[in-house]
Amino acid sequence: MILSQIALRITLLIIVTLVISVSLWSCTEKISPTPNIDLTIEAQVEATRILDDIIAQTVIAYLESEKNVEETVIANFTATPTITSTSIPTVTNTPLPTNTPVPTTTPVPTTTPVPTATLVPTATPNPAPTPIPTPTPIILPSPIPTPTQIVEISDVIKNVTPSVVKVIRGQSSGSGVLIRSDKNKKEGLLLTNYHVIDSEGELIIEIEDNSYPGKIIGYDSGRDLAVISICCNDSFKTIKFSNNEDIKIGEKVIVMGFPLGAKTVRASSGIISGNIYSDEKNRQEIHTDAAINPGNSGGPMILINGSLAGINTYKIHSTSTVNGDVVTEGFGFAVSHTTIENILPKLLDGFQGEEAPFVDPLAPDGVYINPILNYSIEISPGWSINNNVFNPSAINTTLIRNNNKTEITIEVTVNTATGYSSIDEYTNDWTLGKVPGSLSWETNNEGAISRTSKSTTNEITTYNGYEFENSYTFQNKQYKRFTSWFIKNQKRFSVILDLPAEIWVTPDNVTNGNTLKSQSLNSYRSFIPS
């Protein structure tokens, strides 16, 4: 109700204002024009000012009355009283000097209403994370490096001396070293050079202040090694063998023995100058610059950790040149522990000859079992095994070689045979190719074969295979080759024996040739896929 009354009064105010404006405009039109332009303009401006004052006074009076009405309504909470219209004052027409028409007023552009701003909700402030206290660092003490223990050569010599012996045979003497003892039997075993005992006369072993009769157990004259047993004492002190990784060029070594027949143990020191294989003597040798003199032969070469690196055997005094003999220094040699350990089983078994066939440690009982694929093959003494042969086309390759005749080899290769479950299926699709680079390749025979094995419960298993017999020439040398194939678990096992033709055709009355031939065939035919 109040709002409608206010709207009505505003409408009446606008009508009254328009009436007054029209009346004044009519008055100005009736005034006759005058030539005085300046007075005309002044009169017109004065009329406009008077009109503006009247309008302003009228609006102010109206707004004041409305204010009183609103206050009364708010105070009494009663109906709005009837508002008495304020009389509009009579406007006295002031005659204008000229009747110059009022220039048309330039319309004021309507003000573009400002849109009401949409209230943006106040963002809820994220609570500041509670600061995590930084832990106080604990200062750990710097580790104190463990000082490297300094090994004194004198201490090594002191510890090893009870194991070093003097070997006397007739009128000559040399040295040796104890490697095993049996307290129950009160026996000891020692190593020395064969040339130390290669004479006539009683064999006496002296250890510090004691002497014992010696007995030759075995020897290898080609590698210059011998094993002797002594009795009787339950406190023989022995020495252990070195490891292969300990034999390094530059490592310190101590040479011990009884040089020139000395009554007490003597020692000299040096370094390992080389670790070489002698094809002439078929043994591994350690070269040193330590002094080795007559009487040191058979004695130990000791590493700084007190282990046995080898047995002293000889030195080179001079060498021949086109300008005559040249005296040399620092050229002493010892038989390496690797050769000793390989042939020691044969010497302990009583071998006494020129060259003892050593037993490969991968086949200590004469049978090699592949650790990856579990196949087995017999290995004769004097044959070595290499199970780390690189062959990119095979799962596994093992090479077995005769140490005296390196051209005699047995190769076992395993390849995938996906989709094949029997040898018959495989040989229907595949046959044997010739050796790359070979000449005069011939197939002498081929056909089915079988191999049998017996379990611990005496159960017999049969494995069927296929064999090729070939002959060929390679690098002007004739060879005989046997190849056998077996299929198991979708894998092809291939066993190849290669040996020179002269060994294959050796008459049976030639012992060595017949032995190599029989050893080769026995090993080849002993193969079992699993």
Side-chain angles (χ1 to χ4, degrees), residues 11 132 155 167 171 176 199 216 243 343 353 363 409 432 448 457 469 498:
T11 303
I132 300 174
D155 293 335
V167 180
Q171 300 299 315
S199 60
I216 298 173
N243 296 318
I343 68 171
T409 60
L432 184 67
T457 59
E469 179 185 340
D498 272 305

Side-chain angles (χ1 to χ4, degrees), residues 75-312:
N76 299 323
F77 293 93
T78 58
T80 305
T82 303
I83 300 173
T84 304
S85 301
T86 304
S87 57
I88 300 172
T90 303
V91 178
T92 306
N93 292 330
T94 304
L96 299 176
T98 58
N99 194 21
T100 302
V102 178
T104 303
T105 306
T106 302
V108 178
T110 305
T111 303
T112 303
V114 179
T116 305
T118 304
L119 294 177
V120 179
T122 303
T124 304
N126 293 327
T130 304
I132 300 174
T134 303
T136 303
I138 301 174
I139 301 175
L140 299 176
S142 300
I144 300 174
T146 304
T148 302
Q149 184 177 2
I150 300 175
V151 179
E152 297 290 344
I153 292 180
S154 59
D155 293 335
V156 178
I157 294 172
K158 179 180 178 181
N159 292 332
V160 173
T161 294
S163 302
V164 182
V165 305
K166 186 176 184 179
V167 180
I168 302 172
R169 185 75 185 267
Q171 300 299 315
S172 63
S173 67
S175 305
V177 61
L178 286 162
I179 57 170
R180 291 187 184 180
S181 66
D182 188 330
K183 291 185 178 181
N184 295 327
K185 295 181 179 180
K186 297 184 178 182
E187 292 180 348
L189 292 175
L190 63 97
L191 278 170
T192 187
N193 286 141
Y194 170 74
H195 75 260
V196 172
I197 63 169
D198 185 24
S199 60
E200 299 295 330
E202 186 181 7
L203 181 59
I204 301 296
I205 308 299
E206 293 183 354
I207 305 176
E208 296 181 324
D209 296 330
N210 301 312
S211 62
Y212 306 87
K215 178 183 177 181
I216 298 173
I217 301 299
Y219 63 81
D220 182 335
S221 59
R223 297 186 179 95
D224 197 17
L225 292 170
V227 174
I228 299 172
S229 69
I230 56 175
C231 183
C232 298
N233 192 320
D234 59 359
S235 60
F236 290 127
K237 186 174 181 180
T238 62
I239 189 172
K240 66 178 182 178
F241 289 105
S242 302
N243 296 318
N244 288 335
E245 55 269 22
D246 294 333
I247 309 300
K248 303 175 184 177
I249 294 178
E251 287 291 319
K252 289 182 179 180
V253 290
I254 305 168
V255 169
M256 301 180 67
F258 296 82
L260 305 176
K263 292 185 178 182
T264 58
V265 175
R266 305 298 170 86
S268 62
S269 64
I271 63 170
I272 295 176
S273 304
N275 187 13
I276 57 178
Y277 187 83
S278 171
D279 292 324
E280 179 185 357
K281 297 180 175 63
N282 193 22
R283 68 189 184 189
Q284 193 74 23
E285 295 181 347
I286 299 175
H287 174 203
T288 181
D289 64 347
I292 295 179
N293 294 296
N296 277 126
S297 296
M301 174 185 284
I302 306 297
L303 294 181
I304 202 70
N305 61 10
S307 62
L308 180 62
I311 296 295
N312 308 322

Side-chain angles (χ1 to χ4, degrees), residues 36 44 185 280 334 355 521:
N36 193 334
Q44 185 65 42
K185 295 181 179 180
E280 179 185 357
E355 206 165 80
L521 289 173

Side-chain angles (χ1 to χ4, degrees), residues 1-13:
M1 183 67 180
I2 296 173
L3 293 176
S4 61
Q5 290 180 359
I6 292 172
L8 178 60
R9 289 186 176 92
I10 292 174
T11 303
L12 293 174
L13 177 62

Side-chain angles (χ1 to χ4, degrees), residues 375-378 410 412-414 451-452 463 484-486 493-495 522-530:
Y375 63 75
S376 64
I377 187 170
E378 294 179 7
I410 299 174
V412 181
T413 303
V414 183
R451 301 281 187 263
T452 59
Y463 302 93
S484 57
W485 287 349
F486 300 90
F493 294 80
S494 175
V495 187
N522 289 339
S523 184
Y524 164 77
R525 290 169 178 165
S526 70
F527 177 83
I528 300 297
S530 65

